[in-house]
Structures are given as structure tokens and as C-alpha cells.
Amino acid sequence: MGAGRTYRMGRIFGADGRTLILPVDHGLTLGRIEGLEDPVARVDGLLELPCDGLLMTPGLTRMTADRFARRDAPARLLTLDTFFRLPGESSAGTGLAGSVEQAARLGVDCLKLFMAWNVPSGERAATLARITEVVRRAEEFDLPVMLEPIAVGEERTAGAIAVEADGARAALEVGADIIKVAYPGPELMAAWAAELRVPLVILGGPRSGEADAVLTLAEEAVAHGARGIVIGRNVWQRPPDVTLRLMRRLHEIVHP
Amino acid sequence: MGAGRTYRMGRIFGADGRTLILPVDHGLTLGRIEGLEDPVARVDGLLELPCDGLLMTPGLTRMTADRFARRDAPARLLTLDTFFRLPGESSAGTGLAGSVEQAARLGVDCLKLFMAWNVPSGERAATLARITEVVRRAEEFDLPVMLEPIAVGEERTAGAIAVEADGARAALEVGADIIKVAYPGPELMAAWAAELRVPLVILGGPRSGEADAVLTLAEEAVAHGARGIVIGRNVWQRPPDVTLRLMRRLHEIVHP
Amino acid sequence: MGAGRTYRMGRIFGADGRTLILPVDHGLTLGRIEGLEDPVARVDGLLELPCDGLLMTPGLTRMTADRFARRDAPARLLTLDTFFRLPGESSAGTGLAGSVEQAARLGVDCLKLFMAWNVPSGERAATLARITEVVRRAEEFDLPVMLEPIAVGEERTAGAIAVEADGARAALEVGADIIKVAYPGPELMAAWAAELRVPLVILGGPRSGEADAVLTLAEEAVAHGARGIVIGRNVWQRPPDVTLRLMRRLHEIVHP
Amino acid sequence: MGAGRTYRMGRIFGADGRTLILPVDHGLTLGRIEGLEDPVARVDGLLELPCDGLLMTPGLTRMTADRFARRDAPARLLTLDTFFRLPGESSAGTGLAGSVEQAARLGVDCLKLFMAWNVPSGERAATLARITEVVRRAEEFDLPVMLEPIAVGEERTAGAIAVEADGARAALEVGADIIKVAYPGPELMAAWAAELRVPLVILGGPRSGEADAVLTLAEEAVAHGARGIVIGRNVWQRPPDVTLRLMRRLHEIVHP
Amino acid sequence: MGAGRTYRMGRIFGADGRTLILPVDHGLTLGRIEGLEDPVARVDGLLELPCDGLLMTPGLTRMTADRFARRDAPARLLTLDTFFRLPGESSAGTGLAGSVEQAARLGVDCLKLFMAWNVPSGERAATLARITEVVRRAEEFDLPVMLEPIAVGEERTAGAIAVEADGARAALEVGADIIKVAYPGPELMAAWAAELRVPLVILGGPRSGEADAVLTLAEEAVAHGARGIVIGRNVWQRPPDVTLRLMRRLHEIVHP
């Protein structure tokens, strides 16, 4: 691993190799969603919580640059692409929403790209080709790349998880430094962590069920090899006191 | 914010952070419309009115360069793209109509791009990818970018405004320095202004209703956080004396 | 206007600001048409007639370079694109047929591009995007650009002329230095000339009707503000003595 | 003509301005066809016959470079593109199969590109756009370009020949240095040779009829202005003694 | 052959011009398949077996770089593209999954690209155009290119083999340094080896039939001119002792 990547991965994963990341990049594709209407205020609020990194788009990263202009601030990970699919559409709209040069100028620690994997073969290949070009450029700046293979909009059946296993594997093969996955259950979590070897981080997904369910998920995931949690709506779409409690517990789970 | 952007934003928004911009870029997509048949003459006329900036295409900007070759001239904002959709067409035609290099050579203060947002996902993603590339290049010249998310051709329902809220948010996330929106009503105006934090400017749209309605709109918008008005047809498609009166009043409203 | 453009526009429009241009670029899209089977011989013949410039493709320009290698030769304008549409086809085939670099190497005085404007929105936007890229490169060499907005294959109704008015306006807005139009009648001719301000030149179109009709058209057009005539088939698809007579008269009309 | 092009055209056309070229590039699009299963052996065999140049793909050119590494070897012309169309397909597959940089590195004397001309307008325009880009790059290296306009798979009717006449003309207009055509009959041959002025060379096409028919074709073509013959299958898909006899006669016909 | 290519081909084919290559690149397109769930562990296991090279994707190559950081390690060949086709899809998804620059940085000895050849003409041409661009860049680094023409998903009929013969030939013509084919039977093997002249290596394909069948195939292929075997699933999807025995025998067959 190059010196730049070593430095940046260290900023994200810290001394114990674990990370708790807060995504606040939803506005790009989901628009003005509940709890994130005011993204800068949300960032300001989240910065008071214990966390290791924030996942943001280029615009929000630029707007909040001053908040991170200190040595002990959380890392910043940059969302670099879009994924749109309206109800009834047979194909999705995807593309870049930022550039590697922007990332380098902004001084972020990682790039994040999406891999919808339950899609037609043409979309799969186009997604990898787009990612490949980003990886090529990222290597020039020694920037780590996080990829996120997802069976979009599917129920969590064994079939959907198998599609994501294939996507995670493709992510590894094109050069992912970090892979962000939906929690596949304890056995597969352990298997994937052992097999893929790059850090796997678990996504929180949309708010659902009881607040404490996310803690169970995080504990289980970390116990079976997850190197971190990337959790947004399931945390910050709760009342502030719940959010605070959840983050403290998550931080304890990730960094015991 | 870089020095170049600070300088240019200052030229557009002045000491009080407010701006009154006159768009005269309609010929590119609408052709030879009423009141703008002779764009240079129109620019000459508008330059006698109180305003802070003109929004023009590359061609018109070049043709009128001498009118602005003085230190107290209004700022110039450059329209950089097209949006065509004929009656009955299921998809629009969009693309660049100018380049960042032209903008830099012309010495304009801002780039303006359109975001039709009530469109299929493929068009959304393509629009953002095109904008992303412009933003990347604009950063090299430290040129501000204004984005304009619109639910094209839709009635002003709550649904259409919500689509525009999502578009405004996407605009922010890809790095807009200024966002141009249709006035969403007082409450959302205040909310968006607070949330998005970059200057929001209000578009005037096609001439409609009584001349004074635009004054009410401007007053209301500014009172609720709009940082400026971008108003063309609704002003200059009126008789000259009405246009003059409206502009004087708008200037007072924007710069009280 | 840059020094290079000033120089080249002066070569095309001369001291009186008027020009008579002979197009011999038809072979690229129409093939081996009557009267232009032998394009070099045709150029040689035309060079004996009074005229200010020839419109040619890159290939013909290169082949005839020696004919123009003297200080008092006519200007050369370079056709840079194609437009194909076979009977029954619902969309046209368009694209570049030459490059700005070639133009610079050949030493021509102007680039000419076509704008079919009675086409679907997607084709309109693609045409402008292609032109925009050429304009960007042409600016680097300070080469003038002539654009030609046409309602292809339509009868000369008011509707078709209005489409061309819109196209001429779009041409202006993307940076045309010269606009080539079909003669729209005296009133619109005068209006467009006044409004668009860049030199408008009138196309001759396919041979039709009496030979002298073209003289009437030229007289009327010039009397109402046209800055020149671009006339090919309607002149050189006539018997040689008619061609010679027409060109002499046209030259007198353009340069009285 | 630049010094590089003068030098290379001289290598192809020799002192008498005539050329006999052997194409062995069929494997790229036709695969392992009869008589060319072993292309290097075929090249070795052909090098013993009297000829002025070989037409080969990048791969074969590289593999046989040592055979041509002497001062009196035939010229090499490089096939740079593909044309695939399977039975029943409504559109063809075309694209580059080599680059101008490769050609420059290989030291070949000419580039050869195909122009299927009895195709939809979109394919025509795309073909010319691709050729235009090659021509632009070829000019930087002063490499001649041979274009080959063909009414693919059509019977040799007057209509098909007229399509090829149009294609040959388009080839000229985009800058062909040499045009390769199917023999159009004595009158058109003479007309095209006189009109197009760049060297026209005649293709042999697939093996057909009596061996001596190709001699008659060559004699007739050369007698009416063809500057050379490009003949492959119709010669080397014959028994060796026939091939040898044909080549000797063709050489006498081309260089009497 | 350039010095870089000579050096790298020597690393792959050794003193006797033969090679035994283990592909472990399946994860990119096939996902988490049996026997390759943990690719790094698989590589570690394979490195204990006698072999001359491993075929890996960019991601896996980077992750295992330390295993090869010694002078007597096997060569590494880089898989550079994807091929996806889900059941029921009429067209495949293909594209790059790595770049020539990455390959040069990684220090691999060869690039490998896929050529699905029983596909529509448009896909054929697009595949060759993509390969052509890779070949152009690979030449700048003097990196060998292995191409793999396959009639995907077809039974091994004479027709399918003929399609692959055509594909192998096209591979040669665009500049393949090594061609990877499915074993076509003894006679065609001998013919292709003699005709194509670049080293042909035989693919093992999916596990099928008796373990020893692959030995028969390898013996037969090598006896008839194959310069190597590229065998993965058919070897490492067996029990470890079978894998070891097969590899020892294959090594003896390839390097007798």
C-alpha cells in the first residue's frame, strides 16, 4: 500500500482498525429527506457525537470544510456518484457526481462509489467501467476507494445476499480498499470478512424497527468480523436523545 | 472559498449580499421570442436600468463585451447549456452550449446550468454528470456555478415544488455556489434559505398576470430569505415605462 | 474581436463589408451531383469568375491549395460537418467531417457548420453541443465560425421560416460570427439583419426556376440587409455563359 | 503535399505512378478463410511475386516486420478498421482495429479505412466522423490515407455503382489520398479518374469466375485511368501456378 | 519484439517456451464461486504448486503483491475486462475493469482481454475497438497482450469451433501476443499453432467429468502445438490432493 493510502486508511480506521462512519450524503439522490433537510446543521450536530468519519458529497464537503480544519476532526469520505430509479422505471440513471481531482483538492480521505448489482449486465459492466476509471485516477493520488455493492430494493432473501456477495467480490477484484455491505447474517459476515480481507463496513439502511435493533446488528456484525458501521438514517432520523444514546453505544461496540 | 470565487461572488452579490439579475439568454432555447428579438438592443436598454447582473449566452456575451468594459458595469453570468423539449416528445434534448474555457476567456463572473428534475432517472444522472464535469473545470478557474433545478412545464403543485426541493438539494450536493429556484411560497422559501445556505435566487418565469404581481413575489421572497431575483420576461415583456417602474421597485426591494 | 478574427473576417467581407461566396462542398453529402462531378475543374472555372470566397470541404481545400497560393485569391471557408437523411429515415446522421486543427493547418479563413433545426430536441441539443466544441477550439485559433440553421426539406411556409429564425438566434447565442440563412422575405430579412448584427449571408439553394430569379433574390436580400450571397447550384448548374452572366451581375449587386 | 506524404506515396506508386497491391488483411473480419489460413506463410509466398505493396492489419504487420526490413521490400498499407454484418442483422458493427500511433511506430506507408456506403444515414455519418479523426491524426504524421467506399453485398447495378460514386466523392472530400473502388465499368472509370484526381485503385473482390477475368478487369481498369489494382482472393485463392501467372500478368498490365 | 515484451514473454514462457498458468480471476464476473471464495488463500495455496504464472484481476494482484515480491515467483497476468450475460439477456455487458497504467504500476507481465465472438456484429466491433485502445496503450509500455476468443455458452460443435477460429484470427490481426483458446481437437490445434505462430494456450474451462480428463486434454493439446495450459476450476475445484496431483502431472506435461 502506498504511503498516501496508508496515511488515509489510518485516519479512517484508527489504531484499533475499526471505524464508525456517519453518512450524510443522502441529499444527492434522495433529495430533502426527513432529518437531513439542513445538512450543515446535521453535520454540526453529528460532530458532537463520537464518530470516526463522515460520508458526504462534494458540495457538502466544501461547505463544511472549516468544521474539519483541525487535527482531531473525523475523516471525510466523499460520495462520488449517483443512482436514480423512479418507480416503474426499467433502467436506472447512474453517473459521476464528483471527480477525483475535486477529492484531492478537498483533501478527503476516501472515495465512495455505488454498485447496484441486481441490474442488467449492461449496467453492471458500465458501473465497473466507471469505477475502473475512478480507481485509475485515485491511484495517482493514492486515495482509498470504498465500493458499495447492493441488491437495490430487494428483500433480504438468500438470493439477494448472494447477489451482494458476488458484487462484493467484484468490488474487491477491481481494487476496492474498503467494501460497504448490508449485513448478511453472522455466518456470511465471518466468511466474507475472512475471504475479502479488505475492511468490510456495514450499512445501516433506512430507519426501521426499534432503535436498539441497530445496536444488535452492530454488535453481531462487529463480533463476526465487520471492521465498522456506516450508519445514518437509522441513527439520526431518531429523536436527538435516542441518536446520542445510539451513537455512544455504537462507539462502544465498534471501539470496545 | 478560493480568492477567485470570493471576488466574483462579491461582484454579483455586492456589499449587502443581495442581487438583481436580468436574464436575456432565452434566444438559445426559445428562439426569437417577443421582446427579445434584438438582444443587443435589449441589453443596451437594460443597462440603463438598475441591476446587478445580466445572464447571457456565450454569443451575446461576446457581442456585448464592450458595454461591460468599465469598472462599474453589472456582472455577467454565462448560460452554459440547452434544454429542448418539443410538444409530444417523451425525452428532452440537453447538452452544453458553451465551455468553461470560453467563460474564463470572456471574463464572466459565474456559470449557469439547468437541471430539469421532473425527468426520467437516466436524464437526471446525465444532467448531474454533465454538471459535475463543468464543476470540475470551473474549480480550476475558481468560477462560481449557479444551478437551476426545475420541474419543467408542471403546475406549481406541492408535488412539483417537492421535486424542485429535491433538485435544489442535489444542486447543493454537486457543488452549486448559487441556486436559482422558482419561488416555493414563504415557508419553504425560509426553510430552503436556512437549509441550503448558499444564496438562493428566485426566477421570474414567463410573463403572467398583473405586472405588480412580480413585486409581491419579490418582496415575499426576499422577506423570507431569497438573496436575489432573476427576472426577465416578466419585466421586459412589459411596456418600457412598466419595465422601468418594475426594475426601480425591484431594486428597492432587493437593496432596501 | 481578436486580431485573427478581424484579419479573416476582413478577407471574407472586404472593404465594403459584403461578400459573394461560391459553395462547392456538395460532394461530401450529396455525392457526385450534376455540374460538380469534377470539383477541381469546377473550382478552376469558378476562380475565373468574380467572387470573394469559396466554400469547400477539407479534401477539396487541400487538393486546390496551389490555386489559392497567391495574395489576391478568394478566401476559403471550410465545411466541417455532414448531414445525411435518406428518404423514410426518422432521424438524420450528422457528425464532423473535419477538424479545427486541419482548418488551422490549411490556413482557411472560416469554419462552416450546419444546423438542421426542424428536428427532434435530441438532435438539436447534439448539434449545438458539437458546434460548441468546435467554437471552443476555433477560439484558440481565432477562426471565425459560420453557422447555417435550416428547416431541412420543408416548404418555405411562415412556420418553416420561424423555425429558421429560432435557429438563427440559437446560432448567434452559441457564438456564430456569420449566419447563413435562406432568404426569409424582405421584412424578416431587414429585421434579422438589424437584430442579429453579425453578417447574414443568403444561401442560393438548389437550382430552381428561371436563372434571373436568383438575381432578384440577391438584389432584394442585399437591399434589406444581407451582407452577402452564398450561391452554388443555382449558378453553376446553368450553362457556362449563364453562369458567367449571373456571377457578374451578382458581383455588381453585392458590390455595387 | 507534405514531405512525408510525398515520400510514402512514392514508395507505393513508384516511378510510373502505378501500383499492384496484395491485400492479406481478410482475417480481421472474415476469420480463417480459405487460402489465408496461415497469413505469415501467405505473406512469405506473396513476397516472391512481383508486387508493390501489401495491405495488412496491425497484428500481421508486426509479425512480418522482419520480412520487410530491407530497402527494396514492397510498401505496407495498414488496415485500420472493422466491418461486421451477420446475415439478418439490420445494422453493422464497425470501429477501429488499430491506431495512427501504431501505424507510425510500425513504419507503414499508408492507412486504409472502409466506408460502407449503402447504409443508414447514422452509420454514414459515424463512419465519416471516425475517418475524420483518423485523418486529423494521420496529418500529424504525414501519413497517406486510403478510403474504400463500397455498396456492401449489393449486386453491381447502376444504382449500386452510383452509391459508390457518391461514397468515392465523400472520401475525396474528407481527405483521401487514395481511393479504392470496385471497377465501375470503362466510362465511369475514366470519368472518376479524371474527376477525383487522387489515385484510384481497383479492388479484386472475392474469387469469381475464370482466373483470366481478373486480367481483363485489370487491363480495362488501367486503360481507363485506374492507377493500380488491389487484388487478393481472386489471385491467391487460385492454385499456386495460376497465382504466379496472374501476378506476372497483372504486374505487366500495371507496369507495362 | 521490443525489449520489454521480450523480457516479459520470457518470464511467462520460460526457457522451453511453454507455460502453465493458473487463473484465479473468476470473482470479477462470476462472483463468489466454489473453491475461490477466499482468493488470497487460494493464491497462497496455488503458489505451493508448480506453475509459471497466475491470472488475476487488478484488485487481487494488488492484494497479493507481497507474495510475488521475490525473483523466482511466478509471472502475473492481469485480467482487464468484464463479460456479463444473465440468463435471458439478448446482449451482454462488457467493459474495462482495469487500466494499462495500473498494469504498468503493478508490474505485471501481461494483459488479458476477452473476446466473446458468437455475438452480434455491434458487440464484435465494440470489443475490438476496446482491445485496440488497450493494445495502443500497452505498446507504450511494451506489455504483452493475451486475447481470449470464445463462443460463449455454446456446445463444442464444429460451428462453435469455427467461430473461435475466426475469433483467434481476429485476435492475431489486432496484435495479440498470446491467444487463449478452448482446445479445438488435435487437427485444428496443430493447424492453428502453425498458422497463428504466436503462442496458443489452452483454457481449462469449468470443472467437468473426470479429473484425469484434463490431463488427457493437456497432453493432446501440447502434443499438437499448444504452448501452455491455463487451467483453474478444473484443477482447483477438486479435492486438494487431486489438485496437487493434477498440477504435478500438468507441469510434467507442459515441461517434459
Side-chain angles (χ1 to χ4, degrees):
Chain A
M1 196 181 293
R5 219 173 305 193
T6 298
Y7 170 71
R8 292 185 178 97
M9 289 293 275
R11 285 179 48 81
I12 298 168
F13 285 96
D16 64 357
R18 298 277 196 74
T19 197
L20 177 58
I21 294 170
L22 284 160
V24 282
D25 64 339
H26 308 69
L28 177 60
T29 48
L30 300 181
R32 189 177 179 255
I33 62 168
E34 180 198 340
L36 197 58
E37 295 87 350
D38 185 341
V40 175
R42 175 55 74 187
V43 167
D44 282 339
L46 296 178
L47 283 173
E48 295 171 4
L49 302 178
C51 87
D52 302 302
L54 273 79
L55 179 60
M56 298 184 288
T57 62
L60 189 53
T61 303
R62 205 180 69 184
M63 292 182 78
T64 57
D66 58 337
R67 274 79 170 175
F68 295 83
R70 51 190 170 86
R71 282 203 299 277
D72 62 347
R76 293 169 304 165
L77 301 92
L78 192 70
T79 289
L80 216 63
D81 59 3
T82 56
F83 180 85
F84 294 106
R85 194 162 59 190
L86 298 171
E89 287 187 328
S90 62
S91 70
T94 59
L96 291 179
S99 66
V100 175
E101 288 84 351
Q102 281 178 304
R105 277 194 283 257
L106 288 166
V108 298
D109 293 304
C110 187
L111 308 173
K112 202 280 282 181
L113 293 118
F114 194 71
M115 287 171 61
W117 213 241
N118 56 339
V119 294
S121 290
E123 292 188 29
R124 276 193 181 183
T127 295
L128 287 189
R130 187 169 57 238
I131 287 173
T132 291
E133 181 59 19
V134 168
V135 166
R136 185 183 71 79
R137 296 286 292 134
E139 285 192 353
E140 296 174 15
F141 295 99
D142 221 8
L143 272 168
V145 174
M146 177 193 287
L147 299 181
E148 178 180 8
I150 300 290
V152 183
E154 271 192 47
E155 290 203 33
R156 305 290 304 145
T157 61
I161 292 172
V163 164
E164 292 177 349
D166 292 344
R169 187 56 185 281
L172 185 83
E173 306 283 357
V174 294
D177 296 285
I178 308 169
I179 303 178
K180 181 183 173 194
V181 292
Y183 179 59
E187 281 164 42
L188 286 174
M189 182 75 245
W192 295 3
E195 294 164 11
L196 299 173
R197 296 175 191 234
V198 298
L200 301 187
V201 293
I202 302 300
L203 63 91
R207 182 185 54 195
S208 59
E210 292 299 303
D212 287 358
V214 79
L215 299 177
T216 313
L217 177 144
E219 275 178 337
E220 207 176 289
V222 167
H224 291 85
R227 295 275 298 276
I229 310 288
V230 183
I231 195 155
R233 287 170 289 174
N234 229 331
V235 165
W236 48 247
Q237 282 185 338
R238 312 276 180 187
D241 59 324
V242 179
T243 299
L244 177 58
R245 183 172 59 81
L246 286 175
M247 284 303 292
R248 283 191 181 147
R249 276 295 300 137
L250 283 169
H251 197 261
E252 288 168 2
I253 291 166
V254 170
H255 302 290
Chain B
M1 195 182 294
R5 220 174 304 195
T6 298
Y7 170 72
R8 295 184 178 98
M9 289 293 275
R11 285 178 48 81
I12 298 168
F13 286 95
D16 63 358
R18 298 278 195 74
T19 198
L20 177 58
I21 295 170
L22 285 161
V24 282
D25 63 340
H26 308 69
L28 177 60
T29 48
L30 300 182
R32 189 177 178 255
I33 62 168
E34 181 199 337
L36 198 58
E37 295 87 349
D38 185 341
V40 175
R42 176 55 75 188
V43 167
D44 282 338
L46 295 178
L47 283 173
E48 294 172 5
L49 303 177
C51 86
D52 302 302
L54 273 81
L55 179 60
M56 299 184 287
T57 62
L60 189 53
T61 302
R62 205 180 68 184
M63 291 182 78
T64 58
D66 58 338
R67 273 80 170 174
F68 295 82
R70 50 191 172 85
R71 282 202 300 277
D72 63 345
R76 293 169 305 165
L77 302 92
L78 193 69
T79 290
L80 216 63
D81 58 3
T82 55
F83 179 84
F84 295 106
R85 194 162 59 190
L86 298 170
E89 287 187 328
S90 62
S91 70
T94 58
L96 291 179
S99 66
V100 176
E101 288 84 350
Q102 281 178 305
R105 277 195 283 259
L106 288 166
V108 298
D109 293 304
C110 187
L111 308 173
K112 202 280 283 182
L113 292 118
F114 194 71
M115 287 172 62
W117 215 240
N118 56 339
V119 294
S121 290
E123 292 188 29
R124 275 193 181 185
T127 296
L128 286 188
R130 187 169 56 238
I131 288 172
T132 291
E133 181 59 20
V134 168
V135 166
R136 186 182 70 78
R137 296 284 292 135
E139 285 193 353
E140 295 175 16
F141 295 99
D142 222 7
L143 272 168
V145 174
M146 177 193 287
L147 298 181
E148 179 179 8
I150 299 291
V152 183
E154 271 193 45
E155 290 203 32
R156 305 286 307 143
T157 62
I161 292 171
V163 164
E164 293 177 348
D166 292 344
R169 188 56 185 283
L172 186 82
E173 306 283 357
V174 294
D177 296 284
I178 308 168
I179 302 178
K180 181 183 173 193
V181 293
Y183 180 60
E187 282 164 41
L188 285 174
M189 182 75 244
W192 295 3
E195 294 164 11
L196 299 173
R197 295 174 192 235
V198 298
L200 301 187
V201 294
I202 302 299
L203 63 91
R207 182 185 55 195
S208 59
E210 291 300 302
D212 286 358
V214 79
L215 298 176
T216 313
L217 177 145
E219 275 177 337
E220 207 176 290
V222 166
H224 292 85
R227 295 277 297 278
I229 311 286
V230 182
I231 195 155
R233 286 169 289 172
N234 229 331
V235 165
W236 47 247
Q237 282 186 336
R238 312 276 182 188
D241 60 323
V242 179
T243 298
L244 178 58
R245 183 172 59 78
L246 286 175
M247 284 303 292
R248 283 192 180 146
R249 276 294 300 137
L250 283 169
H251 197 261
E252 288 168 2
I253 291 166
V254 170
H255 302 290
Chain C
M1 194 182 294
R5 221 173 303 195
T6 299
Y7 170 71
R8 294 184 177 98
M9 290 292 275
R11 285 179 48 81
I12 298 167
F13 286 95
D16 64 357
R18 299 277 195 74
T19 198
L20 176 59
I21 295 170
L22 284 160
V24 281
D25 64 340
H26 309 70
L28 177 60
T29 48
L30 300 182
R32 188 177 178 254
I33 61 168
E34 181 199 338
L36 198 58
E37 294 87 351
D38 184 341
V40 175
R42 176 54 75 188
V43 167
D44 283 338
L46 296 178
L47 283 173
E48 294 172 5
L49 303 178
C51 86
D52 301 303
L54 273 80
L55 179 61
M56 299 184 288
T57 62
L60 189 53
T61 302
R62 204 180 70 185
M63 291 182 78
T64 58
D66 57 337
R67 273 79 171 176
F68 295 83
R70 51 191 170 86
R71 282 201 301 277
D72 62 345
R76 293 169 305 165
L77 302 92
L78 193 70
T79 290
L80 216 62
D81 59 2
T82 55
F83 180 84
F84 294 106
R85 193 162 60 190
L86 297 171
E89 288 187 328
S90 62
S91 69
T94 58
L96 291 180
S99 66
V100 176
E101 288 84 351
Q102 281 178 304
R105 277 196 283 258
L106 287 167
V108 298
D109 293 304
C110 187
L111 307 173
K112 201 281 283 183
L113 292 119
F114 193 71
M115 288 172 62
W117 215 240
N118 57 337
V119 293
S121 291
E123 293 188 29
R124 275 192 182 184
T127 295
L128 286 188
R130 187 169 56 237
I131 288 172
T132 291
E133 181 60 19
V134 167
V135 166
R136 185 182 70 79
R137 296 284 291 135
E139 285 192 352
E140 295 174 16
F141 295 99
D142 222 8
L143 273 168
V145 174
M146 177 194 287
L147 298 180
E148 179 179 8
I150 299 290
V152 183
E154 272 193 44
E155 290 203 34
R156 306 287 307 143
T157 62
I161 292 172
V163 164
E164 292 178 348
D166 291 345
R169 188 55 186 283
L172 185 83
E173 306 283 358
V174 294
D177 296 284
I178 308 169
I179 302 178
K180 181 183 173 193
V181 293
Y183 180 59
E187 281 164 43
L188 285 174
M189 182 75 244
W192 295 2
E195 293 165 12
L196 299 173
R197 296 175 193 234
V198 298
L200 301 186
V201 293
I202 302 300
L203 64 92
R207 182 185 53 194
S208 59
E210 291 300 301
D212 287 359
V214 79
L215 298 177
T216 313
L217 178 145
E219 274 178 338
E220 208 177 289
V222 166
H224 291 86
R227 295 276 296 277
I229 310 287
V230 182
I231 195 157
R233 287 170 289 174
N234 229 330
V235 163
W236 47 247
Q237 282 185 336
R238 311 277 181 187
D241 59 324
V242 180
T243 299
L244 177 58
R245 184 173 57 80
L246 286 175
M247 284 303 292
R248 284 192 180 147
R249 276 295 299 137
L250 282 170
H251 196 260
E252 288 168 2
I253 291 166
V254 170
H255 302 290
Chain D
M1 195 182 294
R5 220 173 304 194
T6 298
Y7 170 71
R8 292 182 178 100
M9 289 293 275
R11 286 179 47 81
I12 297 168
F13 286 96
D16 64 357
R18 299 277 194 73
T19 198
L20 176 59
I21 294 170
L22 285 161
V24 281
D25 64 340
H26 309 69
L28 177 60
T29 48
L30 299 182
R32 188 177 179 254
I33 61 167
E34 180 199 338
L36 198 59
E37 294 88 350
D38 184 341
V40 175
R42 175 54 76 188
V43 167
D44 282 338
L46 296 178
L47 283 173
E48 294 172 5
L49 303 178
C51 87
D52 301 303
L54 273 79
L55 179 60
M56 298 184 287
T57 61
L60 189 53
T61 302
R62 205 180 69 184
M63 292 181 79
T64 57
D66 57 338
R67 273 79 171 174
F68 296 82
R70 51 191 170 87
R71 283 201 300 279
D72 62 345
R76 293 170 305 165
L77 302 92
L78 193 70
T79 290
L80 217 62
D81 59 3
T82 55
F83 179 85
F84 295 106
R85 194 162 59 191
L86 297 171
E89 287 187 328
S90 63
S91 70
T94 59
L96 290 180
S99 67
V100 176
E101 288 83 351
Q102 281 178 304
R105 277 195 283 258
L106 288 166
V108 298
D109 293 304
C110 188
L111 308 173
K112 202 281 283 183
L113 293 119
F114 194 71
M115 288 172 63
W117 215 240
N118 57 336
V119 294
S121 290
E123 293 188 29
R124 275 193 182 185
T127 295
L128 286 188
R130 186 169 57 237
I131 288 172
T132 291
E133 182 59 19
V134 168
V135 166
R136 185 183 71 78
R137 297 284 292 133
E139 286 193 352
E140 295 175 15
F141 295 99
D142 222 8
L143 272 168
V145 174
M146 177 194 287
L147 298 180
E148 179 179 6
I150 300 290
V152 183
E154 272 194 44
E155 290 203 32
R156 304 287 307 145
T157 61
I161 292 172
V163 164
E164 292 178 349
D166 292 345
R169 187 55 186 283
L172 185 83
E173 306 283 358
V174 293
D177 296 286
I178 308 170
I179 303 179
K180 181 183 173 193
V181 292
Y183 180 59
E187 281 165 41
L188 285 174
M189 182 74 244
W192 295 4
E195 293 165 13
L196 299 173
R197 294 172 193 237
V198 298
L200 301 187
V201 292
I202 302 300
L203 63 91
R207 182 184 54 194
S208 59
E210 291 299 302
D212 287 357
V214 79
L215 299 177
T216 312
L217 178 144
E219 275 179 336
E220 206 176 290
V222 167
H224 292 86
R227 294 276 297 278
I229 311 286
V230 182
I231 194 155
R233 288 171 287 173
N234 229 330
V235 164
W236 47 247
Q237 282 185 337
R238 310 279 180 185
D241 59 323
V242 179
T243 299
L244 177 58
R245 183 171 59 80
L246 287 175
M247 283 304 292
R248 284 191 179 148
R249 277 295 299 138
L250 283 169
H251 197 261
E252 288 168 1
I253 291 166
V254 170
H255 302 291
Chain E
M1 195 183 291
R5 220 173 304 194
T6 298
Y7 170 71
R8 293 184 178 98
M9 290 292 276
R11 285 179 49 81
I12 298 168
F13 285 96
D16 63 357
R18 299 277 194 74
T19 197
L20 176 59
I21 295 170
L22 284 161
V24 282
D25 63 340
H26 309 69
L28 177 60
T29 48
L30 300 182
R32 189 178 179 255
I33 61 167
E34 181 198 339
L36 197 59
E37 295 86 350
D38 185 341
V40 175
R42 175 55 75 188
V43 167
D44 282 339
L46 295 178
L47 283 173
E48 296 171 5
L49 303 178
C51 87
D52 301 302
L54 273 79
L55 179 60
M56 298 184 287
T57 62
L60 188 53
T61 302
R62 205 180 69 185
M63 292 182 78
T64 58
D66 58 338
R67 274 80 170 173
F68 295 83
R70 50 190 171 88
R71 282 202 300 279
D72 62 345
R76 293 170 305 164
L77 302 92
L78 193 69
T79 290
L80 216 62
D81 59 3
T82 55
F83 179 85
F84 295 105
R85 193 162 59 190
L86 297 170
E89 287 187 328
S90 62
S91 69
T94 59
L96 290 180
S99 66
V100 176
E101 288 84 352
Q102 281 178 304
R105 277 195 283 258
L106 288 166
V108 298
D109 293 303
C110 188
L111 308 173
K112 202 280 283 184
L113 293 119
F114 193 71
M115 287 172 63
W117 214 241
N118 57 338
V119 294
S121 291
E123 293 188 29
R124 276 193 182 184
T127 295
L128 286 188
R130 186 169 57 238
I131 288 173
T132 291
E133 182 59 20
V134 168
V135 166
R136 185 183 71 78
R137 296 286 290 134
E139 285 192 354
E140 295 175 16
F141 295 99
D142 222 8
L143 272 167
V145 174
M146 177 194 286
L147 299 180
E148 178 179 8
I150 299 291
V152 182
E154 272 193 44
E155 290 203 33
R156 305 289 304 145
T157 61
I161 292 172
V163 164
E164 293 178 349
D166 292 345
R169 188 55 186 282
L172 185 83
E173 306 283 357
V174 294
D177 295 286
I178 308 169
I179 303 179
K180 181 184 174 193
V181 293
Y183 180 58
E187 280 164 43
L188 286 174
M189 183 74 243
W192 296 3
E195 293 164 12
L196 299 173
R197 295 174 193 236
V198 298
L200 301 187
V201 293
I202 302 299
L203 64 91
R207 182 184 54 194
S208 59
E210 291 299 302
D212 287 358
V214 79
L215 299 177
T216 312
L217 177 145
E219 275 178 337
E220 207 177 290
V222 167
H224 291 85
R227 294 277 298 277
I229 310 287
V230 183
I231 195 155
R233 287 170 289 174
N234 229 330
V235 164
W236 47 247
Q237 282 184 338
R238 311 277 180 186
D241 59 323
V242 179
T243 300
L244 178 58
R245 183 172 59 80
L246 286 176
M247 284 302 292
R248 283 192 180 148
R249 277 295 299 137
L250 284 169
H251 197 261
E252 287 168 2
I253 291 166
V254 169
H255 302 290

